[in-house]
Amino acid sequence: MTIRVVLVDDQAMVRTGLRMVLAAEPDLEVVGEAADGADGRRVVAELRPDVVLMDVRMPGVDGLEAARRILAQQLPTRVVVLTTFDQDEYVAAALRAGVSGFLLKVAPPEDLVAAVRTVAAGQGLLDPAVTLRVIESFAAAPAPDPVRAGQLAQLTERETDVLELLATGLSNAEIAGRLYLGEATVKTHVSRVLLKLGLRDRVQAVAFAYESGLVTPGR
């Protein structure tokens, strides 16, 4: 199955480079482009791609606001923020907007291709260069969100354990090792956590775990 991608970046040269990288893959197809967030939202609404690669800083409507507008339409589209800016505030804001991935533009082409495939498959993705800072950023939040904290009651004890370990950046295999479970069992627990909490992927689960107070600084 071909993964359909839309590129949203105000630099034509960047869009050209991204298109060349993705066009070299038989299962990826760039179906549209936009030079700003407002036009990007329109193109996505029209084409309904599988994945959007979205720059952050653009004139007019920036990438974060465009991502919010796109995701608010409940389209079957996942957004990956692709940027040269890796400050914590951009990462946290992007995750809160509901994006499924965050990748730096300095990442090698193979990482970009892998990111598109990963997100299209329904999984979240964070660039390894920013994962730790993302976790620390959420962990440093002034106070847990009481609404999110209340939602934790929906989870079983084992599901809560899995969410806590997931939030520290562990893979399913690593969680399985910690909890003495099979990897398939952990995958099932993760799926149930996402379903019960109304989360799209592991990336949003990380944000939820910190915002709810399940994981706190130094823990």
Side-chain angles (χ1 to χ4, degrees):
M1 186 178 73
T2 300
I3 299 172
R4 302 168 69 251
V5 183
V6 163
L7 309 176
V8 184
D9 195 297
D10 62 321
Q11 298 183 45
M13 186 175 296
V14 171
R15 297 198 307 273
T16 298
L18 294 174
R19 179 182 283 274
M20 291 177 63
V21 170
L22 298 178
E25 303 298 321
D27 59 330
L28 306 181
E29 178 186 5
V30 176
V31 296
E33 298 183 12
D36 61 69
D39 195 36
R41 187 203 62 77
R42 181 189 60 76
V43 171
V44 169
E46 177 183 343
L47 300 176
R48 301 171 72 88
D50 301 299
V51 177
V52 179
L53 294 180
M54 178 81 70
D55 189 22
V56 171
R57 290 190 176 181
M58 294 181 289
V61 177
D62 65 24
L64 297 183
E65 179 57 30
R68 293 186 189 98
R69 295 181 186 181
I70 289 170
L71 294 169
Q73 298 178 79
Q74 301 295 312
L75 300 173
T77 298
R78 293 178 178 270
V79 178
V80 175
V81 172
L82 183 63
T83 180
T84 56
F85 302 98
D86 61 345
Q87 296 96 327
D88 293 342
E89 62 267 25
Y90 290 119
V91 179
L95 297 185
R96 290 189 177 99
V99 306
S100 295
F102 192 102
L103 191 69
L104 300 185
K105 287 182 178 177
V106 294
E110 58 268 25
D111 286 0
L112 171 65
V113 171
V116 171
R117 290 175 177 148
T118 296
V119 171
Q123 304 176 48
L125 177 139
L126 289 175
D127 190 301
V130 299
T131 300
L132 180 59
R133 291 204 306 281
V134 172
I135 292 173
E136 291 174 344
S137 175
F138 279 112
D145 182 329
V147 174
R148 290 197 178 279
Q151 290 178 290
L152 289 173
Q154 301 177 62
L155 305 181
T156 65
E157 182 178 353
R158 181 58 78 196
E159 288 166 353
T160 302
D161 292 339
V162 168
L163 176 58
E164 184 175 353
L165 292 175
L166 183 157
T168 65
L170 297 185
S171 66
N172 285 353
E174 291 168 331
I175 294 173
R178 292 284 188 92
L179 299 179
Y180 302 102
L181 299 172
E183 189 171 347
T185 300
V186 171
K187 185 176 180 179
T188 298
H189 283 313
V190 171
S191 296
R192 288 175 178 168
V193 168
L194 298 180
L195 179 63
K196 289 182 178 181
L197 299 179
L199 306 173
R200 295 182 63 152
D201 49 48
R202 296 170 70 98
V203 172
Q204 288 195 340
V206 171
F208 182 96
Y210 283 100
E211 291 179 329
S212 67
L214 176 63
V215 179
T216 56
R219 184 174 172 182

